[in-house]
Amino acid sequence: MDPITNPYAPGAGQRPPELAGREEQLQTFDVVLARVAAGRPDRSLVLTGLRGVGKTVLLNQLRSAAVRARWGTGKIEARPDQRLRRPLASALHQAVRELGHSQAEEVEHVLGVIKSFGQRDSAPGTKLREMWTGGIDAPAIKGRADSGDVEIDLVELLTDVGGLAADLGRGVAVFIDEMQDLGPDDISALCAACHEISQSGLPVIVVGAGLPHLPAVLSASKSYSERLFRYVRIDRLPREAADRALTTPAELEGAAFEQEALDRLYAATGGYPYFIQAYGKSVWDKAPRSPITPDDVTVAAPDAESELAVGFFGSRFERATPGEREYLRAMADLAADTAAKGEELDDIESVATAEVASHLGKKPQSLSPARDALLKKGLIYSGERGRIAFTVPHFGRYLREQT
């Protein structure tokens, strides 16, 4: 096969492999856009799932759907060390630009409010020429979205942006990746703003994506958050969709797979889109001709596993300290012990923190710093009190193989 036209390489083709099997989510979002544009309030959307299931790719596709509907859009990626104001101001600046400038005076006012919201993050005493502008030429509107209380300011900001969109007969969608990494104050403010916008019927929605515990993060911030968002769990692909993620790009290049080759690929990838893409790329590069055979999969597997070990698993493992790695390996050992008792390893979602401490022969309190650091680094998550799980599928298997 010609590696130059590898249909599984990142960005290749019209639809990346990760989007196979996501038609329902795309159709649901189209309905949300239509309802909100028609003045009928609908809940914002939150995508949750493990790493490698294609949340970011789906988030980008949803944004493309909003752009096709002529909405204004902006996107940010949350980070634990970054406050919301300036990234959100930049995203909304882009959204307002996409809406157009048919009402120049009102647009300039809203841009001024966005600028004011972003500048409120400046340190006291910052000189005017050093203030954040985000490329906004309009003067900052004093007294609007600049109180210093992010909840009050965000409500005012989205109200003004939503009002402009409504006047133009359009909508605005803000897309937030890694949403669980927003700070507590910013999460609380976002929930409050979404509630206010929903009550007002303004055409503004938030589309977030994050790890499986994101709903718990939102609920802990505002008890009414479950009424604000439509939660959509993004998981591994079912067999039919996983096969389609491999066969459709191949068919576009005039190639095919033997059934047993697809069987082996599904067994190796578990239906996780990121793994499907890695194995698909390696098999395409190694297979000499069509159809792709089980032997081609066997030959290509080491390359795929090596790429995953370095780029997917290893890059994350390297971020952990020696003490944190010990904690991760203990989790992997406990998962294997549970599997040995008759459970399928892929069905094990979590282990008890008390069991990790017992396995390591340490007191639970002494392991709290390592556990908290791993949570902040996004390597593990806590779906329920007293239990933790890997955010990366097959991570336990990788750790056991490394050991």
Side-chain angles (χ1 to χ4, degrees):
M1 301 292 185
D2 185 357
I4 297 176
T5 58
N6 193 319
Y8 306 101
Q14 296 181 346
R15 171 171 288 194
E18 293 89 333
L19 280 179
R22 306 305 187 203
E23 292 80 6
E24 181 179 352
Q25 290 84 7
L26 294 170
Q27 292 170 2
T28 297
F29 189 63
D30 286 340
V31 172
V32 171
L33 292 175
R35 284 181 56 85
V36 174
R40 298 194 294 273
D42 206 339
R43 288 176 292 174
S44 289
L45 191 67
V46 169
L47 312 175
T48 66
L50 299 174
R51 302 199 185 281
V53 297
K55 298 187 303 297
T56 299
V57 174
L58 179 56
L59 195 70
N60 291 337
Q61 188 67 14
L62 295 179
R63 184 182 181 185
S64 296
V67 171
R68 289 194 298 272
R70 300 183 66 246
W71 280 45
T73 69
K75 181 186 173 186
I76 67 173
E77 181 176 329
R79 297 203 304 266
D81 59 345
Q82 178 180 261
R83 290 188 288 190
L84 180 64
R85 279 186 184 267
R86 292 185 179 178
L88 182 59
S90 295
L92 288 173
H93 177 207
Q94 182 174 359
V96 170
R97 286 173 57 86
E98 289 180 0
L99 286 176
H101 295 74
S102 58
Q103 299 187 29
E105 185 175 339
E106 187 176 356
V107 168
E108 182 171 340
H109 173 84
V110 172
L111 289 176
V113 174
I114 293 173
K115 189 174 187 177
S116 181
F117 178 81
Q119 287 186 345
R120 191 60 179 80
D121 223 12
S122 301
T126 302
K127 296 179 181 179
L128 184 61
R129 66 175 178 273
E130 297 174 352
M131 296 284 279
W132 179 88
T133 65
I136 300 175
D137 294 330
I141 303 297
K142 300 300 181 182
R144 189 67 176 169
D146 62 354
S147 71
D149 184 318
V150 68
E151 187 167 311
I152 294 172
D153 295 347
L154 188 53
V155 169
E156 292 182 352
L157 175 67
L158 292 187
T159 297
D160 287 1
V161 171
L164 172 64
D167 290 345
L168 295 172
R170 311 271 283 283
V172 166
V174 179
F175 297 83
I176 306 177
D177 205 359
E178 303 293 347
M179 192 174 181
Q180 76 281 340
D181 286 338
L182 290 175
D185 291 344
D186 290 338
I187 282 280
S188 179
L190 191 64
C191 289
C194 286
H195 183 259
E196 184 66 27
I197 291 299
S198 177
Q199 294 291 311
S200 303
L202 292 173
V204 176
I205 60 172
V206 172
V207 184
L211 295 173
H213 66 293
L214 177 54
V217 172
L218 294 168
S219 179
S221 177
K222 295 291 186 183
S223 59
Y224 55 74
S225 66
E226 62 185 29
R227 303 194 303 271
L228 297 177
F229 301 102
R230 185 195 305 270
Y231 294 109
V232 179
R233 180 65 184 265
I234 307 300
D235 208 338
R236 72 183 82 184
L237 297 176
R239 177 59 192 269
E240 180 276 330
D243 286 355
R244 184 155 41 88
L246 290 163
T247 58
T248 300
E251 288 170 358
L252 294 175
E253 298 293 334
F257 287 82
E258 291 185 3
Q259 184 58 48
E260 189 178 345
L262 292 173
D263 294 342
R264 291 195 183 184
L265 285 167
Y266 190 76
T269 65
Y272 289 103
Y274 191 92
F275 298 161
I276 292 173
Q277 187 170 6
Y279 273 84
K281 180 178 182 298
S282 295
V283 169
W284 186 269
D285 287 342
K286 293 292 185 180
R289 64 186 64 83
S290 177
I292 294 170
T293 69
D295 288 342
D296 294 331
V297 176
T298 300
V299 170
D303 280 358
E305 292 164 2
S306 177
E307 180 179 334
L308 290 169
V310 174
F312 192 66
F313 298 119
S315 62
R316 291 173 166 83
F317 186 62
E318 290 299 320
R319 294 165 54 196
T321 66
E324 293 161 10
R325 293 176 186 179
E326 183 182 43
Y327 196 97
L328 293 171
R329 289 194 177 99
M331 289 178 59
D333 290 343
L334 288 168
D337 291 344
T338 304
K341 296 175 183 177
E343 296 183 38
E344 288 292 331
L345 189 58
D346 281 345
D347 293 334
I348 299 169
E349 296 183 351
S350 62
V351 297
T353 55
E355 291 179 0
V356 175
S358 177
H359 184 81
L360 293 173
K362 297 181 179 181
K363 294 181 179 180
Q365 299 92 319
S366 68
L367 294 174
S368 294
R371 184 188 66 244
D372 292 345
L374 290 170
L375 287 166
K376 290 179 181 178
K377 291 176 179 178
L379 294 174
I380 63 174
Y381 73 97
S382 178
E384 57 182 297
R385 185 175 180 82
R387 302 190 70 85
I388 35 88
F390 295 118
T391 61
V392 178
H394 296 177
F395 198 46
R397 183 175 69 185
Y398 163 79
L399 293 174
R400 289 188 297 275
E401 291 173 350
Q402 292 299 109
T403 301

